[in-house]
Amino acid sequence: MALLLGLGIGAESVWAADPVAIVDALKTNAGNPKGARASFAKGQCVRGNYTPSTDAASVTKSASFTKPGMVLARFSVGGGNPKVLDTNKAVLRGFSMKLGEGKNSTDILFENAPVHFAKSTDQMLGFLKARAPGPDGKPDADKVKAFSAENPETLNQAHFVASKPMPGSFAGVTYWGVHAFPATNSKGQKRFIKFKVVPVDGDVNLTEEEAKTKPEDFLFQDIKARLAAGGIKLQVLALLDQPGDPTMDVTVRWPDEDNRPAVALGTVTITALSENQPCDDSIFVPGNLAAGIGEPPDEIFAARKAAYPVSLARRKSE
């Protein structure tokens, strides 16, 4: 805690890393835009359907993944600024979806990085506090550097995003669920899985020169064009655990994660734009998981589950 105190982050803040404090910090860093999500504020609601694979039941008995169903989803750009430029490579791209309806529905949140930027709520709040804007509207570079030096794993996400090309389409991005979900299959067997979503038609990337020619909302224009041309297909995969995999720390990947066995659970086909109201009037609830998929055991998942309703209530009251 000494380092955080040295950064001007008081003990009362560090140990008050509750959902309200985290949402407040996210909003502060984004400039407190009214009526906006605390994170992934810029987005577009879409609709479609899900078709399961014949192998889905070998991983989970969840009706969300083993039965055909309707899909409500949202493509988004990371951060709490609803006016963030689509050409900002440093921010995440997001994909949230609700599969199925009623008791058979499941909400999963994805982003174009396989790790989160903090492994605990205290670390998450410290990360955000270190990057809080000063009187000039910019974070204190020395505070950021000091916090990063003490918490190097908080840079894993940024380093991953920086190592990849600029995404050229929401439909051409690989997304990860980040958390390790306990899954129970049709035979009652249990294991941890990680969700991954891959574009059926392959990744779409831009060079730096190509990115410079794009308008500030080119990702959202691209969605409309692709849907008008026939739709967007994304394959949902389950990465299978192995003994010793870290299931509590979302800042690190599973060993050799990109080369281990994965099971195709099914295909999401996005067929139409939706008014944003269905996505904005509620939230994709991290804890909404149909039987057969359990809640991840890590601290960040619990924090998300608690913080999302706080963010919803705050933007509805603004």
Side-chain angles (χ1 to χ4, degrees):
M1 188 194 307
L3 174 68
L4 297 179
L5 290 172
L7 292 176
I9 305 171
E12 70 283 353
S13 296
V14 174
W15 299 115
D18 58 27
V20 173
I22 289 173
V23 170
D24 284 347
L26 286 165
K27 295 286 287 184
T28 295
N29 288 11
N32 286 305
K34 300 296 183 183
R37 285 172 167 80
S39 187
F40 292 95
K42 182 180 182 180
Q44 174 64 55
C45 199
V46 293
R47 293 187 181 275
N49 57 73
Y50 170 78
T51 304
S53 76
T54 56
D55 295 326
S58 69
V59 175
T60 176
K61 64 181 182 180
S62 171
S64 297
F65 294 96
T66 59
K67 297 182 182 299
M70 303 300 293
V71 174
L72 176 69
R74 184 174 183 266
F75 291 108
S76 57
V77 181
N81 178 8
K83 296 182 179 180
V84 63
L85 302 183
D86 292 4
T87 51
N88 186 337
K89 179 177 180 289
V91 296
L92 294 170
R93 274 56 174 166
F95 176 65
S96 301
M97 67 177 183
K98 178 186 290 292
L99 295 183
E101 298 177 291
K103 67 178 183 179
N104 291 330
S105 70
T106 291
D107 294 358
I108 304 288
L109 295 80
F110 300 91
E111 55 195 41
N112 68 321
V115 293
H116 190 56
F117 64 81
K119 60 185 176 183
S120 70
T121 52
D122 281 345
Q123 190 178 62
M124 186 172 180
L125 188 59
F127 177 98
L128 296 170
K129 292 276 189 179
R131 288 161 173 77
D136 62 353
K138 300 178 181 179
D140 185 317
D142 290 335
K143 288 184 179 181
V144 173
K145 182 178 180 180
F147 183 85
S148 299
E150 186 72 13
N151 301 270
E153 65 275 9
T154 61
L155 297 179
N156 290 347
Q157 183 188 86
H159 288 160
F160 180 89
V161 172
S163 72
K164 302 298 180 181
M166 167 84 78
S169 169
F170 283 125
V173 176
T174 297
Y175 302 94
W176 285 266
V178 177
H179 306 278
F181 290 80
T184 304
N185 69 12
S186 58
K187 296 181 180 181
Q189 298 166 327
K190 299 182 179 181
R191 71 185 306 165
F192 281 104
I193 65 170
K194 282 188 177 181
F195 290 106
K196 184 177 180 180
V197 171
V198 298
V200 170
D201 293 330
D203 290 344
V204 178
N205 298 315
L206 301 176
T207 66
E208 291 185 12
E209 290 304 312
E210 289 172 332
K212 292 176 182 178
T213 68
K214 295 294 183 180
E216 62 186 33
D217 62 345
F218 80 91
L219 290 173
F220 296 89
Q221 293 181 20
D222 178 78
I223 290 177
K224 295 177 182 179
R226 289 177 183 273
L227 292 178
I232 295 169
K233 288 185 179 293
L234 302 168
Q235 187 177 47
V236 183
L237 305 176
L239 304 180
L240 306 181
D241 72 339
Q242 295 176 358
D245 282 341
T247 58
M248 301 294 287
D249 186 352
V250 291
T251 65
V252 296
R253 305 189 71 184
W254 285 351
D256 201 30
E257 187 175 294
D258 288 331
N259 299 311
R260 64 173 55 198
V263 176
L265 298 177
T267 302
V268 169
T269 302
I270 303 300
T271 56
L273 289 175
S274 168
E275 294 293 328
N276 281 320
Q277 183 177 359
C279 294
D280 292 345
D281 283 353
S282 60
I283 54 176
F284 293 91
V285 183
N288 180 43
L289 303 165
I293 299 293
E295 293 191 6
D298 66 90
E299 189 173 332
I300 295 300
F301 184 86
R304 279 179 159 166
K305 182 180 174 182
Y308 277 53
V310 172
S311 176
L312 174 64
R314 175 163 174 173
R315 61 185 164 89
K316 281 184 170 293
S317 68
E318 293 175 334

